[in-house]
């Protein structure tokens, strides 16, 4: 059953808050013109980037002060000019405020009691808190899906460091479709490090500290999201041809000469981005200050970085040396996606000449335009300095660590972890609590890049290496240490991209004080791969 916008508004009213999605200005300007949605074209960046705010609405910041309910349901929004797109949304009502895909903003140490209600018409669902250190029952994995009409009660304490975490569905077999259709948002944790940084740079959430979720989607003529992967797309991952940032297509952001923080989430199912800010042909420097598990020890100056599905990257862009009138683009630079097309050849039927414009992984395109304006008000922050220290990363003690080998491979259009597909009832990986393990994750040469993600814990990346005889990969040039690590590998991680022919060593400390045995999953965050079974149960006993 599909709900019309009218039904959706009714649903909104039922929750005591009319959750109205923002209507974008250009959606109202029915100028009958052709809208330029092609991300390869720098023209047409004319819709204001949707910025989260404190008054509810889409991606509104929500600071829980007691139990709350998140309702997974159908909705719609103006994404394409003059069109309503059906979406799946997380809806939340707080007094008079209604939220769509609320950004949860919590403090380290805070206890949370969310209830999920499944109001999707058919499918099971469950919320997974991506990156959070929680017990198995609060993790929201595939074993805990609830049917339509049911609710799921969570109760956990936030143990994580300050950082940009997120939440999304994780039902067995339907994660990719539900996340693609709109179910996803941020989960921001604050602690003292966070407050210190914000003070020192005058960062204000929603103003110069902007959560930015980047996604690729495919729309039909009606403006609805299309999600019907064919066999090849299940195998390679589903790519969209339209790029959205905070659900805005071809967005621009007016900025002034000050420091901006972007908390980037790659919320795409399968697309990897190589992010750079360009002024003309020149890459602008930016600082990577954090990733999946919060702050790095210090800012790392760079001018490009890869971000794979599920990963987060916290960055500072210092615009103080830019002038009013300057224009910058956040782009994805071209790269070799290493997707070994030969893998699919035996199956490939003669490709019907598809009129679809298509946007390959690794293609170059524009994401967001920044227009530098004169600052009104007083001259901002010329004395402020990018801090030299952000946080303290304690290296995991590996003196008693156990080694475990993990292989990623494919055969017959299927992906495998240690030669196996996901089996709901098997726990091939058993870990003893309070031990440290080093996982040696090897991606076959005849493979594609896989962003591997673990539930329940954060890990440290120890080393990247290219296996003998394997091809070099596009990440290598960005290494900052002799272990082959990139700035995006430092600090704490929950998702790590592994290129074909690459071996990545990670250290995971399975210490916890949850009661009894805890069950989680480890999987590829290419969501089609996950749903196809590139996932494994593990338990910590
Ligand atoms: Cu964000 Cu198991 O996933
Ligand atoms: Cu996760
Ligand atoms: Cu994968």
């Amino acid at each position: 059953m599909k709900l019309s916008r009218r039904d959706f508004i009714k649903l909104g009213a039922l929750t005591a808050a009319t959750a109205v999605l923002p209507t974008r200005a250009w959606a109202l300007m029915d100028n009958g013109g052709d809208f330029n949605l092609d991300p390869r074209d720098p023209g047409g960046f004319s819709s204001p980037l949707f910025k989260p705010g404190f008054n509810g609405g889409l991606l509104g910041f929500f600071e829980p002060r007691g139990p709350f309910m998140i309702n997974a349901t159908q909705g719609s929004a103006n994404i394409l000019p003059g069109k309503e797109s059906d979406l799946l949304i997380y809806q939340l009502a707080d007094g008079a405020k209604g939220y769509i895909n609320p950004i949860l903003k919590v403090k380290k140490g805070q206890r949370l009691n969310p209830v999920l209600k499944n109001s999707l018409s058919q499918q099971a669902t469950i919320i997974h808190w991506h990156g959070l250190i929680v017990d198995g029952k609060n993790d929201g994995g595939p074993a805990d899906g609830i049917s339509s009409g049911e609710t799921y009660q969570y109760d956990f304490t936030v143990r994580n460091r300050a950082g940009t975490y997120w939440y999304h569905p994780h039902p067995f077999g339907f994660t990719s479709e539900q996340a693609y259709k709109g179910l996803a948002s941020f989960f921001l944790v604050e602690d003292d490090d966070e407050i210190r940084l914000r003070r020192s740079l005058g960062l204000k959430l929603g103003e110069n500290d902007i959560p930015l979720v980047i996604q690729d989607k495919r729309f039909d003529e009606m403006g609805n999201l299309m999600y019907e992967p064919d066999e090849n797309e299940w195998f390679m991952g589903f790519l969209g041809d339209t790029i959205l940032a905070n659900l805005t297509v071809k967005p621009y952001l007016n900025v002034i000469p000050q420091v901006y923080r972007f908390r980037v989430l790659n919320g795409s199912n399968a697309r990897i981005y190589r992010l750079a800010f360009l002024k003309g042909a020149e890459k602008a420097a930016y600082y990577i200050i954090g990733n999946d598990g919060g702050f790095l020890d210090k800012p790392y100056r760079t001018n490009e970085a890869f971000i794979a599905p599920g990963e987060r990257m916290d960055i500072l862009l210092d615009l103080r040396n830019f002038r009013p009138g300057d224009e910058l683009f956040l782009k994805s630079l071209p790269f070799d996606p290493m997707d070994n097309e030969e893998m699919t050849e035996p199956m490939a039927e003669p490709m019907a000449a598809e009129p679809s414009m298509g946007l390959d992984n690794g293609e170059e395109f524009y994401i967001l335009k920044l227009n530098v304006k004169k600052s009104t008000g007083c001259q901002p922050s010329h004395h402020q300095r990018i801090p030299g220290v952000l946080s303290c990363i304690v290296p995991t003690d590996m003196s008693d660590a156990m080694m475990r080998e993990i292989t990623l491979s494919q055969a017959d259009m299927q992906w495998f972890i240690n030669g196996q597909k996901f089996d709901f009832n098997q726990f091939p990986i058993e870990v003893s609590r309070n031990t440290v393990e080093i996982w040696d994750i090897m991606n076959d040469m005849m493979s594609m890049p896989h962003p591997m993600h673990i539930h329940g814990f954060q890990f440290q990346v120890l080393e990247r290496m290219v296996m003998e005889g394997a091809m070099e990969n596009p990440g290598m040039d960005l290494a900052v240490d002799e272990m082959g690590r990139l700035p995006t590998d430092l600090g704490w991680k929950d998702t790590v991209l592994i290129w074909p022919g690459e071996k990545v060593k990670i250290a995971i400390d399975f210490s916890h004080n949850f009661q009894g045995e805890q069950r989680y999953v480890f999987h590829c965050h290419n969501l089609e791969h996950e749903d196809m079974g590139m996932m494994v149960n593990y338990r910590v006993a």
Side-chain angles (χ1 to χ4, degrees):
M1 178 188 63
K2 271 202 180 151
L3 295 183
S4 69
R5 177 159 177 84
R6 192 169 305 133
D7 291 329
F8 164 57
I9 288 171
K10 264 192 260 157
L11 279 177
L14 283 179
T15 61
T18 324
V20 181
L21 288 174
T23 306
R24 285 171 231 293
W26 44 258
L28 298 171
M29 295 184 306
D30 185 17
N31 59 13
D34 261 350
F35 289 94
N36 175 1
L37 305 179
D38 186 349
R40 281 164 294 214
D41 186 338
F45 279 79
S46 54
S47 36
L49 174 73
F50 187 77
K51 280 198 280 179
F54 285 87
N55 292 313
L58 178 65
L59 296 173
F61 295 111
F62 174 67
E63 299 172 84
R65 303 231 148 80
F68 59 98
M69 180 183 276
I70 296 181
N71 188 27
T73 187
Q74 288 84 2
S76 68
N78 267 121
I79 295 174
L80 300 186
K83 287 173 180 161
E84 258 332 271
S85 305
D86 288 337
L87 294 175
L88 301 181
I89 57 170
Y90 289 124
Q91 198 178 40
L92 183 149
D94 180 38
K97 280 190 209 164
Y99 293 81
I100 307 275
N101 291 357
I103 296 182
L104 303 182
K105 183 172 168 298
V106 306
K107 297 202 161 49
K108 181 173 181 174
Q110 195 175 336
R111 182 165 170 191
L112 289 191
N113 295 97
V115 174
L116 166 69
K117 179 159 204 289
N118 181 359
S119 299
L120 303 178
S121 42
Q122 276 161 15
Q123 291 169 357
T125 196
I126 189 71
I127 289 180
H128 165 59
W129 315 100
H130 181 128
L132 290 199
I133 302 163
V134 288
D135 60 294
K137 272 293 159 201
N138 279 291
D139 175 64
D144 292 312
I146 53 167
S147 316
S148 179
E150 293 183 338
T151 57
Y152 193 88
Q153 173 76 58
Y154 297 88
D155 180 357
F156 59 92
T157 299
V158 178
R159 290 171 178 78
N160 291 65
R161 307 164 72 226
T164 306
Y165 306 91
W166 65 301
Y167 65 100
H168 63 77
H170 220 295
F172 183 49
F174 294 99
T175 299
S176 55
E177 179 178 346
Q178 291 181 10
Y180 180 85
K181 290 195 167 160
L183 292 175
S185 190
F186 293 91
F187 187 110
L188 306 180
V189 178
E190 296 181 346
D191 65 10
D192 295 343
D193 289 336
E194 167 70 26
I195 291 164
R196 202 175 316 121
L197 177 79
R198 225 188 277 164
R199 287 216 181 113
S200 71
L201 290 172
L203 296 173
K204 290 212 177 69
L205 259 182
E207 290 177 30
N208 56 357
D209 180 344
I210 303 173
L212 192 73
V213 52
I214 304 175
Q215 295 165 310
D216 58 336
K217 306 282 184 199
R218 227 181 274 175
F219 295 92
D220 65 16
E221 283 109 75
M222 301 297 292
N224 288 321
L225 289 172
M226 287 170 37
Y227 188 75
E228 276 157 20
D230 60 24
E231 189 185 11
N232 200 48
E233 287 164 334
W234 277 115
F235 182 59
M236 302 300 290
F238 191 80
L239 298 171
D241 52 20
T242 306
I243 304 293
L244 305 181
N246 291 354
L247 292 174
T248 317
V249 63
K250 303 284 297 264
Y252 75 85
L253 178 68
N254 288 339
V255 292
I256 55 174
Q258 64 173 0
V259 177
Y260 283 83
R261 178 186 190 184
F262 293 102
R263 310 195 199 197
V264 184
L265 160 63
N266 182 348
S268 312
N269 280 28
R271 183 178 297 279
I272 298 166
Y273 301 80
R274 179 183 163 205
L275 294 183
F277 291 92
L278 279 101
K279 186 187 158 194
E282 218 177 291
K283 287 191 248 174
Y286 63 91
Y287 298 88
I288 301 180
I289 59 168
N291 53 15
D292 303 348
F295 289 124
L296 307 182
D297 56 337
K298 57 172 197 199
Y300 287 79
R301 198 179 141 97
T302 185
N303 55 24
E304 59 170 273
F306 286 94
I307 184 168
E311 287 187 303
R312 284 85 68 209
M313 192 164 79
D314 197 341
I315 63 183
L316 294 177
L317 177 66
D318 189 348
L319 294 176
R320 285 176 295 184
N321 291 321
F322 288 78
R323 299 159 160 267
D326 283 349
E327 293 178 351
L328 282 91
F329 269 109
L330 172 61
K331 285 187 74 170
S332 184
L333 300 175
F335 62 92
D336 173 4
M338 297 189 84
D339 55 8
N340 286 307
E341 259 156 39
E342 316 84 83
M343 291 183 305
T344 59
E345 246 168 34
M347 301 295 298
E349 296 133 38
M351 279 265 176
E354 258 199 42
S356 134
M357 63 191 222
L359 185 67
D360 289 339
N361 226 342
E363 251 192 86
E364 178 175 16
F365 55 86
Y366 298 85
I367 300 168
L368 168 68
K369 187 178 188 183
L370 302 176
N371 299 318
V372 183
K373 302 284 181 192
K374 240 221 289 289
S375 62
T376 52
C378 44
Q379 199 54 29
S381 56
H382 267 291
H383 56 283
Q384 287 167 352
R385 293 197 157 202
I386 305 284
V389 175
L390 294 165
S391 188
C392 173
I393 308 286
V394 182
T396 302
D397 176 0
M398 289 173 298
S399 42
D400 297 316
M402 179 200 128
M403 296 279 277
R404 193 183 287 276
E405 294 205 329
I406 311 257
T407 59
L408 312 176
S409 63
Q410 54 87 29
D412 305 323
M413 303 284 280
Q414 305 274 354
W415 294 105
F416 304 103
I417 297 177
N418 286 345
Q420 291 180 306
K421 282 186 43 158
F422 184 60
D423 180 337
F424 217 87
N425 302 308
Q426 299 295 314
F427 285 79
I429 299 180
E430 307 216 25
V431 172
S432 344
R433 68 159 70 199
N434 305 336
T435 60
V436 172
E437 294 204 354
I438 295 172
W439 289 14
D440 240 339
I441 314 173
M442 285 167 284
N443 193 358
D444 197 77
M445 289 181 210
M446 193 48 86
S447 180
M448 65 181 282
H450 297 287
M452 300 306 296
H453 169 57
I454 194 163
H455 283 216
F457 296 88
Q458 292 275 332
F459 55 80
Q460 292 180 351
V461 176
L462 302 175
E463 184 178 12
R464 272 183 191 275
M465 67 201 242
V466 172
M467 291 184 281
E468 229 179 83
M471 293 234 309
E472 302 201 334
N473 67 64
M476 289 169 60
D477 294 339
L478 304 179
V480 287
D481 64 20
E482 63 292 351
M483 307 310 276
R485 294 180 297 184
L486 323 185
T488 44
D489 292 326
L490 306 176
W492 291 95
K493 295 284 292 169
D494 56 54
T495 307
V496 63
L497 180 62
I498 306 173
W499 296 90
E502 196 177 38
K503 174 159 113 175
V504 174
K505 257 189 221 290
I506 62 174
I508 320 170
D509 183 346
F510 289 101
S511 300
H512 70 79
N513 46 24
F514 305 122
Q515 288 277 305
E517 174 188 292
Q518 303 301 320
R519 302 177 163 207
Y520 306 98
V521 288
F522 170 68
H523 64 85
C524 180
H525 220 287
N526 176 314
L527 294 183
E528 283 72 34
H529 292 184
E530 175 188 333
D531 279 345
M532 287 282 283
M534 194 176 184
M535 175 154 72
V536 61
N537 280 323
Y538 80 93
R539 64 180 159 210
V540 186

